[in-house]
Amino acid sequence: MQVNPIQLFDAESSTFTYILAAPGSYDAVIIDPVDRHFTRDLAHIERLGLRLTHVLETHAHADHVTSAGRLREHTGAKACVPSGCDIPPAEVQLQDGDQIRFGLHEHIAVIHTPGHTAGSMCYLWRGNLFTGDTLLIDGCGRTDFQSGSSDSLYDSVTRKLFTLDDHVRVWPGHDYKGQSVSTIGWERRHNARLANRSREDFVALMAALDLPRPRMMDVAVPANRNLGLPHSV
Amino acid sequence: MQVNPIQLFDAESSTFTYILAAPGSYDAVIIDPVDRHFTRDLAHIERLGLRLTHVLETHAHADHVTSAGRLREHTGAKACVPSGCDIPPAEVQLQDGDQIRFGLHEHIAVIHTPGHTAGSMCYLWRGNLFTGDTLLIDGCGRTDFQSGSSDSLYDSVTRKLFTLDDHVRVWPGHDYKGQSVSTIGWERRHNARLANRSREDFVALMAALDLPRPRMMDVAVPANRNLGLPHSV
């Protein structure tokens, strides 16, 4: 049965954090937690009576600092990161096709989706796809820094994500318009950047965006490669 | 099985709107939709492939205007409101103990919880309690206008909500701190205003709050008594 995650928001960076609670057990996974909400996120886990077993990162973020390291220290959860994101302190270095098991019978499928960054991963759990900055609602992540590639993003989305079932729910890593969730079917048919667009058109569109450099990048990326911890671990 | 709702947020009034999707069917219910997000909310219903059958209001809001009337016009959904909230255009005037049925086997229990307003209702669906402004995460709604009563709110929360199962998830009508969800067990033990507090203490605490009058009140309350529509229906 499709069980929605709990969605939390950071208004400063418009980042979504997700808590996945395993039906029938107390075990839970958190995806892309934000450092400034460390206390808030722990409070949610406590209020819901959950035990955190895994902390997942979709990639090494450039716009906010993760709390993965602090959550691991505080709860004993395993830190799981994409193997291609250069985050050495994480004990689980994920590869495409891996399965993360938690709770009684839960498994999260790991899908390597290079494009926003070369190492970016999406996670699929019970018909819910956590897309990080790869696929956004009616949009996609930028591809102009940190090993980004529009060519790779086009392949990742059109060949790996748009081939999933129409009803799979898309839970993005960010939203800037107060939106929460979409579906693969809707994005495949209507996504303003990727639906019915050729690779050449997409690459040209992304190259023309001319976005400013992320304000937090020089701080966030090195911090996130250390799980958000200020010192080496 | 406990299936979380989809939670949407209005950053202007810090209001949560909820979409409840019936497992195994396309039918869905929306609770406390906000007028300025009419298009966003319809887009979510479309993206998720849902058919809206009911629009529920927890009370006649003083801080934002509902889109219930426009959603009804657009989708054919039934407008369901607390009978004590003086919202005559709604076709379903709910009473304490009513059940709203939707989808294949879904039912929403209607719980009359006077206090924030005399007519306020909470809604219980699959272990999820939608509390409107009656019970907030680590707080509660104000009781100093629009037929509010601290005495009544104390009874509603302590006798009707805190007697529900510990694991029932509390989905509030507002949050001002980036929080999403709590549980009855946590609120009964820790809620800063209501846990382990006598009626007299609670009434005195609420009387001492001295809150400013809601900026939107003179516009919002009459509009919400007409389901948010500008003209009589």
mmCIF file of all heavy atoms in Angstrom, chain B residues 88-110:
data_model
loop_
_atom_site.group_PDB
_atom_site.id
_atom_site.type_symbol
_atom_site.label_atom_id
_atom_site.label_comp_id
_atom_site.label_asym_id
_atom_site.label_seq_id
_atom_site.Cartn_x
_atom_site.Cartn_y
_atom_site.Cartn_z
ATOM 1 N N PRO B 88 -24.139 28.780 5.945
ATOM 2 C CA PRO B 88 -25.359 28.229 5.344
ATOM 3 C C PRO B 88 -25.204 27.640 3.945
ATOM 4 O O PRO B 88 -25.935 26.678 3.624
ATOM 5 C CB PRO B 88 -26.341 29.408 5.340
ATOM 6 C CG PRO B 88 -25.632 30.582 5.898
ATOM 7 C CD PRO B 88 -24.289 30.173 6.376
ATOM 8 N N PRO B 89 -24.307 28.132 3.074
ATOM 9 C CA PRO B 89 -24.297 27.553 1.716
ATOM 10 C C PRO B 89 -23.773 26.125 1.625
ATOM 11 O O PRO B 89 -23.874 25.523 0.557
ATOM 12 C CB PRO B 89 -23.375 28.491 0.924
ATOM 13 C CG PRO B 89 -23.152 29.681 1.773
ATOM 14 C CD PRO B 89 -23.382 29.268 3.177
ATOM 15 N N ALA B 90 -23.213 25.582 2.704
ATOM 16 C CA ALA B 90 -22.683 24.207 2.634
ATOM 17 C C ALA B 90 -23.822 23.203 2.711
ATOM 18 O O ALA B 90 -24.705 23.317 3.574
ATOM 19 C CB ALA B 90 -21.693 23.976 3.769
ATOM 20 N N GLU B 91 -23.782 22.197 1.845
ATOM 21 C CA GLU B 91 -24.895 21.229 1.814
ATOM 22 C C GLU B 91 -24.830 20.207 2.928
ATOM 23 O O GLU B 91 -25.845 19.600 3.259
ATOM 24 C CB GLU B 91 -24.993 20.526 0.457
ATOM 25 C CG GLU B 91 -23.745 19.796 -0.005
ATOM 26 C CD GLU B 91 -22.907 20.690 -0.911
ATOM 27 O OE1 GLU B 91 -22.439 21.741 -0.416
ATOM 28 O OE2 GLU B 91 -22.718 20.326 -2.081
ATOM 29 N N VAL B 92 -23.654 19.983 3.498
ATOM 30 C CA VAL B 92 -23.553 19.029 4.606
ATOM 31 C C VAL B 92 -23.212 19.803 5.883
ATOM 32 O O VAL B 92 -22.137 20.385 5.998
ATOM 33 C CB VAL B 92 -22.493 17.940 4.318
ATOM 34 C CG1 VAL B 92 -22.447 16.937 5.466
ATOM 35 C CG2 VAL B 92 -22.789 17.228 2.999
ATOM 36 N N GLN B 93 -24.140 19.828 6.813
ATOM 37 C CA GLN B 93 -23.968 20.517 8.100
ATOM 38 C C GLN B 93 -23.665 19.438 9.135
ATOM 39 O O GLN B 93 -24.551 18.713 9.568
ATOM 40 C CB GLN B 93 -25.240 21.302 8.453
ATOM 41 C CG GLN B 93 -25.580 22.399 7.454
ATOM 42 C CD GLN B 93 -24.660 23.628 7.580
ATOM 43 O OE1 GLN B 93 -24.152 23.923 8.665
ATOM 44 N NE2 GLN B 93 -24.441 24.332 6.467
ATOM 45 N N LEU B 94 -22.409 19.318 9.510
ATOM 46 C CA LEU B 94 -21.952 18.191 10.318
ATOM 47 C C LEU B 94 -22.313 18.341 11.791
ATOM 48 O O LEU B 94 -22.266 19.434 12.357
ATOM 49 C CB LEU B 94 -20.434 18.052 10.192
ATOM 50 C CG LEU B 94 -19.920 17.750 8.778
ATOM 51 C CD1 LEU B 94 -18.415 17.981 8.700
ATOM 52 C CD2 LEU B 94 -20.271 16.318 8.384
ATOM 53 N N GLN B 95 -22.635 17.204 12.387
ATOM 54 C CA GLN B 95 -22.897 17.103 13.827
ATOM 55 C C GLN B 95 -21.853 16.179 14.451
ATOM 56 O O GLN B 95 -21.328 15.288 13.789
ATOM 57 C CB GLN B 95 -24.280 16.456 14.066
ATOM 58 C CG GLN B 95 -25.430 17.088 13.321
ATOM 59 C CD GLN B 95 -25.977 18.326 14.011
ATOM 60 O OE1 GLN B 95 -25.628 18.599 15.156
ATOM 61 N NE2 GLN B 95 -26.813 19.077 13.311
ATOM 62 N N ASP B 96 -21.620 16.372 15.741
ATOM 63 C CA ASP B 96 -20.733 15.478 16.486
ATOM 64 C C ASP B 96 -21.165 14.025 16.287
ATOM 65 O O ASP B 96 -22.358 13.702 16.392
ATOM 66 C CB ASP B 96 -20.803 15.822 17.976
ATOM 67 C CG ASP B 96 -19.828 15.003 18.804
ATOM 68 O OD1 ASP B 96 -18.628 15.056 18.514
ATOM 69 O OD2 ASP B 96 -20.277 14.313 19.731
ATOM 70 N N GLY B 97 -20.222 13.165 15.988
ATOM 71 C CA GLY B 97 -20.529 11.744 15.816
ATOM 72 C C GLY B 97 -20.858 11.339 14.396
ATOM 73 O O GLY B 97 -20.966 10.138 14.109
ATOM 74 N N ASP B 98 -21.010 12.312 13.491
ATOM 75 C CA ASP B 98 -21.253 11.970 12.087
ATOM 76 C C ASP B 98 -20.055 11.231 11.500
ATOM 77 O O ASP B 98 -18.927 11.320 12.006
ATOM 78 C CB ASP B 98 -21.492 13.241 11.257
ATOM 79 C CG ASP B 98 -22.903 13.792 11.423
ATOM 80 O OD1 ASP B 98 -23.726 13.134 12.087
ATOM 81 O OD2 ASP B 98 -23.171 14.883 10.882
ATOM 82 N N GLN B 99 -20.307 10.516 10.405
ATOM 83 C CA GLN B 99 -19.242 9.860 9.641
ATOM 84 C C GLN B 99 -19.322 10.373 8.204
ATOM 85 O O GLN B 99 -20.414 10.379 7.616
ATOM 86 C CB GLN B 99 -19.460 8.342 9.618
ATOM 87 C CG GLN B 99 -19.394 7.672 10.971
ATOM 88 C CD GLN B 99 -18.008 7.168 11.311
ATOM 89 O OE1 GLN B 99 -17.128 7.122 10.445
ATOM 90 N NE2 GLN B 99 -17.795 6.805 12.566
ATOM 91 N N ILE B 100 -18.209 10.780 7.653
ATOM 92 C CA ILE B 100 -18.153 11.138 6.236
ATOM 93 C C ILE B 100 -17.534 9.952 5.505
ATOM 94 O O ILE B 100 -16.423 9.532 5.832
ATOM 95 C CB ILE B 100 -17.291 12.403 6.021
ATOM 96 C CG1 ILE B 100 -17.891 13.578 6.792
ATOM 97 C CG2 ILE B 100 -17.158 12.731 4.539
ATOM 98 C CD1 ILE B 100 -16.916 14.707 7.032
ATOM 99 N N ARG B 101 -18.253 9.416 4.536
ATOM 100 C CA ARG B 101 -17.753 8.251 3.804
ATOM 101 C C ARG B 101 -17.257 8.675 2.429
ATOM 102 O O ARG B 101 -17.890 9.494 1.770
ATOM 103 C CB ARG B 101 -18.857 7.199 3.666
ATOM 104 C CG ARG B 101 -19.256 6.649 5.014
ATOM 105 C CD ARG B 101 -20.331 5.594 4.976
ATOM 106 N NE ARG B 101 -20.666 5.214 6.337
ATOM 107 C CZ ARG B 101 -19.953 4.361 7.083
ATOM 108 N NH1 ARG B 101 -18.877 3.776 6.571
ATOM 109 N NH2 ARG B 101 -20.306 4.095 8.323
ATOM 110 N N PHE B 102 -16.121 8.119 2.024
ATOM 111 C CA PHE B 102 -15.610 8.395 0.680
ATOM 112 C C PHE B 102 -14.775 7.210 0.224
ATOM 113 O O PHE B 102 -14.431 6.331 1.023
ATOM 114 C CB PHE B 102 -14.820 9.717 0.630
ATOM 115 C CG PHE B 102 -13.466 9.689 1.287
ATOM 116 C CD1 PHE B 102 -12.310 9.753 0.524
ATOM 117 C CD2 PHE B 102 -13.338 9.635 2.667
ATOM 118 C CE1 PHE B 102 -11.039 9.732 1.122
ATOM 119 C CE2 PHE B 102 -12.083 9.622 3.276
ATOM 120 C CZ PHE B 102 -10.947 9.667 2.496
ATOM 121 N N GLY B 103 -14.472 7.180 -1.080
ATOM 122 C CA GLY B 103 -13.681 6.067 -1.612
ATOM 123 C C GLY B 103 -14.432 4.765 -1.450
ATOM 124 O O GLY B 103 -15.670 4.739 -1.391
ATOM 125 N N LEU B 104 -13.695 3.675 -1.343
ATOM 126 C CA LEU B 104 -14.332 2.368 -1.226
ATOM 127 C C LEU B 104 -14.799 2.097 0.196
ATOM 128 O O LEU B 104 -15.938 1.701 0.425
ATOM 129 C CB LEU B 104 -13.351 1.267 -1.670
ATOM 130 C CG LEU B 104 -12.933 1.324 -3.146
ATOM 131 C CD1 LEU B 104 -11.890 0.255 -3.451
ATOM 132 C CD2 LEU B 104 -14.153 1.140 -4.046
ATOM 133 N N HIS B 105 -13.924 2.294 1.155
ATOM 134 C CA HIS B 105 -14.242 1.917 2.534
ATOM 135 C C HIS B 105 -13.790 2.976 3.524
ATOM 136 O O HIS B 105 -13.560 2.669 4.693
ATOM 137 C CB HIS B 105 -13.539 0.604 2.901
ATOM 138 C CG HIS B 105 -13.730 -0.497 1.916
ATOM 139 N ND1 HIS B 105 -14.941 -1.112 1.743
ATOM 140 C CD2 HIS B 105 -12.876 -1.067 1.032
ATOM 141 C CE1 HIS B 105 -14.811 -2.036 0.799
ATOM 142 N NE2 HIS B 105 -13.580 -2.018 0.353
ATOM 143 N N GLU B 106 -13.580 4.205 3.072
ATOM 144 C CA GLU B 106 -13.026 5.207 3.976
ATOM 145 C C GLU B 106 -14.132 5.879 4.773
ATOM 146 O O GLU B 106 -15.216 6.137 4.238
ATOM 147 C CB GLU B 106 -12.281 6.288 3.180
ATOM 148 C CG GLU B 106 -11.210 5.742 2.271
ATOM 149 C CD GLU B 106 -10.163 4.931 3.000
ATOM 150 O OE1 GLU B 106 -9.618 5.432 3.998
ATOM 151 O OE2 GLU B 106 -9.901 3.791 2.572
ATOM 152 N N HIS B 107 -13.861 6.151 6.027
ATOM 153 C CA HIS B 107 -14.778 6.990 6.784
ATOM 154 C C HIS B 107 -14.004 7.935 7.702
ATOM 155 O O HIS B 107 -12.966 7.584 8.262
ATOM 156 C CB HIS B 107 -15.815 6.180 7.567
ATOM 157 C CG HIS B 107 -15.246 5.066 8.360
ATOM 158 N ND1 HIS B 107 -14.843 5.199 9.652
ATOM 159 C CD2 HIS B 107 -14.987 3.789 8.009
ATOM 160 C CE1 HIS B 107 -14.368 4.044 10.081
ATOM 161 N NE2 HIS B 107 -14.439 3.170 9.115
ATOM 162 N N ILE B 108 -14.527 9.141 7.785
ATOM 163 C CA ILE B 108 -13.930 10.187 8.607
ATOM 164 C C ILE B 108 -14.888 10.432 9.765
ATOM 165 O O ILE B 108 -16.076 10.714 9.545
ATOM 166 C CB ILE B 108 -13.752 11.484 7.788
ATOM 167 C CG1 ILE B 108 -12.819 11.253 6.604
ATOM 168 C CG2 ILE B 108 -13.238 12.620 8.681
ATOM 169 C CD1 ILE B 108 -12.809 12.405 5.594
ATOM 170 N N ALA B 109 -14.381 10.309 10.979
ATOM 171 C CA ALA B 109 -15.218 10.550 12.156
ATOM 172 C C ALA B 109 -15.192 12.037 12.494
ATOM 173 O O ALA B 109 -14.134 12.661 12.480
ATOM 174 C CB ALA B 109 -14.703 9.733 13.336
ATOM 175 N N VAL B 110 -16.363 12.570 12.779
ATOM 176 C CA VAL B 110 -16.523 13.995 13.076
ATOM 177 C C VAL B 110 -16.610 14.174 14.595
ATOM 178 O O VAL B 110 -17.454 13.549 15.246
ATOM 179 C CB VAL B 110 -17.806 14.531 12.402
ATOM 180 C CG1 VAL B 110 -18.069 15.972 12.802
ATOM 181 C CG2 VAL B 110 -17.695 14.390 10.885
#
